[in-house]
Amino acid sequence: MARGSKVWFNGKILGAEEAKISLFTHALHYGVGAFEGIRAYKQTKGGGAVFRLQEHLQRFFESCKILDLKMPYTMDQLIDATLATCKANGFEECYIRPIVYIADGPLGVNPGANPPVDVAILNWEWGNYLGDKGVNEGARLKVSSFIRPHVNSTMTKGKITGQYVNGVMAKREAINAGFDEALLLDAEGYLTEGSGENIFMIKDGVIKTTPLTSILNGITRQTVMEYFENKGLKVEQTRFTRDELWCADEVFLTGTAAEITPVKEIDYRQIGKESHLGRPGPITSELKKTFQMIVRGDFSEFKPKNAKNWLTPIL
């Protein structure tokens, strides 16, 4: 994982070693911050471009609104900053991490009416999030003993730093048990998502994904739903149980880091029909192939209505 040597920090491009924060940073103690995960890809026609940058940054601003953080920069400024950071590091293909948080100030739980806010953008080269084997052969998942908190306990529509402790604990539990990723249930026992991905299942031609009542509205999730709708396939946003998931014909995860990752096993049960038992299914395989074409600027298989806005060139 090659990290960029340059970062954007409070309006300036700095060397990564120069971007220091104080031990008195409020967010370090209480987890009040928000972040985004974005990817840039090498394009088939040359150069690099950031995938669905505006949508990611819109969610970034919404996370700030949820936290009542006053973002000190505009959308256009953060678009320029994102591209400048990629360019400063010489990256055409990379993972991009904007982050905003309450900075050095009062250290009580209440940070005050107008606390100081830091904003940074960093990037690094990141391959397949669940590994080459996972994305090519299918990942092994475990339903976690940890559950997603109630929607009025944590705000599910924001990518809020402190809330990811729940996912970290679930992920570590799964890894320690020999799996690739964790799945989390809600307080009533229905599937929500992975530690950092949304989930889809296919059964008898019906495509289902968990509703937005308890999950983050993933940008890759949105892309996949638009892809299926373009093909005339309906996606049901509905709750489902772990045993329904075990009996699915196909299961896959979506996310900026995970992209499209097939699932071959859940709780020691192989997923799929006899023709592809424990292997990526045909719909997932076709989707995975098309997604890689889309992010690299090839819309020959699927062209969304606003395709021209999906890729922002790194110039």
Side-chain angles (χ1 to χ4, degrees), residues 94-266:
C94 63
Y95 187 83
I96 304 163
R97 170 58 52 81
I99 186 167
V100 57
Y101 54 89
I102 298 180
D104 186 344
L107 270 185
V109 172
N110 177 18
N114 292 292
V117 172
D118 281 346
V119 185
I121 301 173
L122 46 155
N123 50 25
W124 59 87
E125 293 181 318
W126 208 358
N128 295 320
Y129 181 60
L130 296 180
D132 293 342
K133 187 174 182 180
V135 78
N136 292 322
E137 300 178 16
R140 299 178 64 244
L141 310 185
K142 177 186 186 298
V143 173
S144 180
S145 66
F146 299 97
I147 65 169
R148 279 280 185 256
H150 189 275
V151 293
N152 283 329
S153 176
T154 60
M155 302 296 101
T156 59
K157 298 302 174 284
K159 284 183 73 71
I160 296 168
T161 57
Q163 293 181 178
Y164 273 75
V165 171
N166 180 238
V168 170
M169 294 176 71
K171 176 88 170 186
R172 293 180 72 180
E173 177 188 56
I175 296 295
N176 289 338
F179 293 84
D180 301 312
E181 181 56 288
L183 292 176
L184 292 100
L185 307 178
D186 65 18
E188 297 179 73
Y190 292 93
L191 264 298
T192 59
E193 55 192 347
S195 71
E197 313 89 1
N198 296 130
I199 187 166
F200 286 76
M201 64 165 283
I202 304 169
K203 177 70 172 179
D204 297 329
V206 178
I207 305 166
K208 294 182 180 181
T209 190
T210 46
L212 292 177
T213 51
S214 61
I215 64 168
L216 185 73
N217 189 5
I219 307 300
T220 309
R221 176 184 183 275
Q222 296 172 30
T223 303
V224 167
M225 292 182 69
E226 189 167 339
Y227 164 81
F228 281 134
E229 289 166 7
N230 185 265
K231 291 178 70 70
L233 300 171
K234 182 181 177 182
V235 179
E236 294 184 7
Q237 299 185 63
T238 184
R239 302 166 92 187
F240 47 87
T241 58
R242 72 173 82 182
D243 50 355
E244 186 176 358
L245 196 64
W246 293 337
C247 297
D249 297 332
E250 300 183 44
V251 176
F252 61 89
L253 301 172
T254 66
T256 296
E259 300 175 296
I260 311 297
T261 298
V263 174
K264 69 176 182 180
E265 183 182 317
I266 302 172

Side-chain angles (χ1 to χ4, degrees), residues 38-43 46-51 53 79-96 123 311-315:
I38 313 172
R39 276 193 190 258
Y41 292 90
K42 290 181 179 179
Q43 301 296 288
V50 183
F51 184 62
L53 177 57
I79 288 173
D80 291 343
T82 300
L83 301 176
T85 308
C86 293
K87 190 173 181 180
N89 286 310
F91 286 147
E92 291 181 335
E93 181 155 337
C94 63
Y95 187 83
I96 304 163
N123 50 25
L311 293 163
T312 305
I314 301 169
L315 300 175

